[in-house]
Amino acid sequence: GQQVMQIPQYQHVQEGEDFTTYCNSSTTLSNIQWYKQRPGGHPVFLIQLVKSGEVKKQKRLTFQFGEAKKNSSLHITATQTTDVGTYFCAQHGGSQGNLIFGKGTKLSVKP
Amino acid sequence: GAGVSQSPRYKVAKRGQDVALRCDPISGHVSLFWYQQALGQGPEFLTYFQNEAQLDKSGLPSDRFFAERPEGSVSTLKIQRTQQEDSAVYLCASSLGIRYSNQPQHFGDGTRLSIL
């Protein structure tokens, strides 16, 4: 069935280092969304990418959608302790627009 | 309210008991989704409502799971004869548009269900 593969599963960085998580699909995606879930919290929408090759920035976060619309990445520049959490990519699946989530990348930041 | 509200926040039940989980979506949101999130995993889709109509229940793991949204606002997820494998966080999400509007989903804090 449809699924998005997300790597790495875990990432431990020193504060100030960069971080990247990758999301890959075997099928062409109509769009992809990114969510962040803090420990003990709920997923919070970050961004949606729709166009082939699209790049969007939110302060220190850079989101990319591949040219073939089969992969996406989230890059955080100069991580801070507030970046701690699990980052999920998600694609729309099924017939009703429900989201299919990747397994997520859990980021920990050492001060 | 400002966001999606879920209750209870935590629920402990003995195996075999029935439980009911409540979701109060953002006012005016047409779409409502239920997801199940196991520890260390991403949320997995359970069911979808557009207003009061349950348009997709393909993710419900068994006929012990039942969901309703009778007036197109508050939704209840009921689990009958709970089993230990039902232990998880149950997340409710709502979005403004109808299916395929590709709008962001707003999640509640979830109900953490533990079956003893």
Side-chain angles (χ1 to χ4, degrees), chain A residues 21-80:
Chain A
T21 174
Y22 300 90
C23 189
N24 298 295
S25 172
S26 57
T27 59
T28 302
L29 304 170
S30 59
N31 62 76
I32 195 157
Q33 296 184 358
W34 285 91
Y35 288 77
K36 176 184 178 181
Q37 186 172 24
R38 293 181 185 274
H42 58 270
V44 175
F45 174 80
L46 295 176
I47 210 154
Q48 176 170 271
L49 304 172
V50 178
K51 299 177 182 177
S52 169
E54 190 170 15
V55 178
K56 287 188 177 180
K57 293 189 176 183
Q58 290 179 350
K59 297 183 180 178
R60 294 179 295 103
L61 278 60
T62 301
F63 303 85
Q64 295 191 16
F65 203 10
E67 292 290 342
K69 299 182 71 173
K70 288 186 175 182
N71 57 75
S72 181
S73 66
L74 158 59
H75 179 82
I76 303 178
T77 304
T79 54
Q80 300 175 359

Side-chain angles (χ1 to χ4, degrees), chain A residues 67-100:
Chain A
E67 292 290 342
K69 299 182 71 173
K70 288 186 175 182
N71 57 75
S72 181
S73 66
L74 158 59
H75 179 82
I76 303 178
T77 304
T79 54
Q80 300 175 359
T81 54
T82 53
D83 296 325
V84 164
T86 301
Y87 293 84
F88 293 99
C89 61
Q91 62 163 318
H92 279 94
S95 61
Q96 304 300 338
N98 57 281
L99 292 172
I100 299 174

